[in-house]
Amino acid sequence: MKGLIYKEFSVFYKSVDKKLLFIAGAAIVLLICNAGAYAGLLASIMLAITVGMQNIMCFAFDERSEWKKYQLAIPVSGFLAVSCKYISVLCTVCLSLLGSIFLNLLPLILFRSFDVSIWGLSILSAVIVPMIWTGVCLPITYWFGFQSAQIMGLFVFIPTFFLIKYFEDGPGFQAMTVFPPGCAAAACLGVIVFYGISLIISVAGYERKR
């Protein structure tokens, strides 16, 4: 099982799309220049989206290399085979989390601005956005193939983009950090439950094609 997790994480690391990183980097620089104290939050969301997109690209690598045929020959259950991919996604979430902390340090240094609510929402976004993105796309990949998951990934990205635009053009970025106490804990619990359900659906899809 450790070998499969290492394989998944290695594919993520080696298949990093340089164009995607360049676009994300340019967007983050623009956010830092235009969003001021909220740059770390918006940059964290952008980074989390990038991590989610990169995970989807790893699914494409598996499909192109016909990894499924080799995986079926490995003496592991379908649950373990699928779980390894989900665990590897959690490993990439750690990268998103570390990146969020770094990105929030930049506004702190540049603008001498520190807001606990901004940092908290940034860290929350860095964790839940990749989990939601892959939690949606992985079951679709196992049931219908990568191309269907790629299309669905766009439907995940579009609401996120328009949500940011809504706050930018409407109530302002400060409204993003105003949420009831306990909302963050409820969001984390909801994402964990959603991720578990996603795993069960993916295992069913994997077993169906064995």
Side-chain angles (χ1 to χ4, degrees):
M1 185 174 179
K2 291 181 180 179
L4 288 176
I5 296 173
Y6 176 76
K7 171 262 174 189
E8 299 292 349
F9 190 75
S10 296
V11 169
F12 175 89
Y13 177 75
K14 292 180 180 179
S15 63
V16 171
D17 191 329
K18 294 182 176 60
K19 292 180 181 178
L20 182 62
L21 285 180
F22 177 79
I23 294 172
I28 289 172
V29 171
L30 289 174
L31 288 173
I32 292 175
C33 293
N34 297 323
Y38 298 93
L41 170 59
L42 299 181
S44 295
I45 295 174
M46 178 62 67
L47 176 63
I49 291 173
T50 304
V51 170
M53 292 177 66
Q54 187 58 45
N55 274 308
I56 295 175
M57 297 306 296
C58 293
F59 308 158
F61 175 84
D62 282 352
E63 193 160 302
R64 288 196 304 267
S65 62
E66 298 184 343
W67 164 252
K68 181 72 176 290
K69 293 181 180 179
Y70 176 76
Q71 192 174 43
L72 290 174
I74 302 175
V76 295
S77 66
F79 178 79
L80 286 178
V82 176
S83 295
C84 289
K85 190 172 287 291
Y86 276 77
I87 293 172
S88 71
V89 170
L90 294 179
C91 293
T92 64
V93 168
C94 293
L95 297 178
S96 177
L97 180 59
L98 292 174
S100 175
I101 294 173
F102 171 76
L103 291 170
N104 275 279
L105 286 174
L106 295 179
L108 176 62
I109 296 171
L110 295 174
F111 306 109
R112 299 292 191 273
S113 174
F114 176 80
D115 189 316
V116 174
S117 60
I118 294 177
W119 278 66
L121 187 56
S122 298
I123 292 173
L124 184 65
S125 301
V127 173
I128 68 173
V129 170
M131 290 180 67
I132 291 176
W133 200 306
T134 53
V136 169
C137 293
L138 266 174
I140 296 173
T141 299
Y142 281 112
W143 278 86
F144 306 108
F146 163 70
Q147 290 185 342
S148 298
Q150 192 175 35
I151 294 172
M152 183 56 65
L154 292 176
F155 287 103
V156 177
F157 171 76
I158 292 172
T160 305
F161 174 79
F162 279 104
L163 182 64
I164 294 175
K165 287 295 295 179
Y166 165 76
F167 283 105
E168 181 181 6
D169 300 333
F173 291 131
Q174 68 275 7
M176 296 179 68
T177 61
V178 179
F179 47 88
C183 185
C188 290
L189 179 60
V191 170
I192 292 172
V193 172
F194 169 76
Y195 206 63
I197 294 173
S198 173
L199 172 60
I200 294 171
I201 297 173
S202 293
V203 171
Y206 179 88
E207 294 290 354
R208 184 178 67 92
K209 295 184 178 181
R210 284 182 73 94

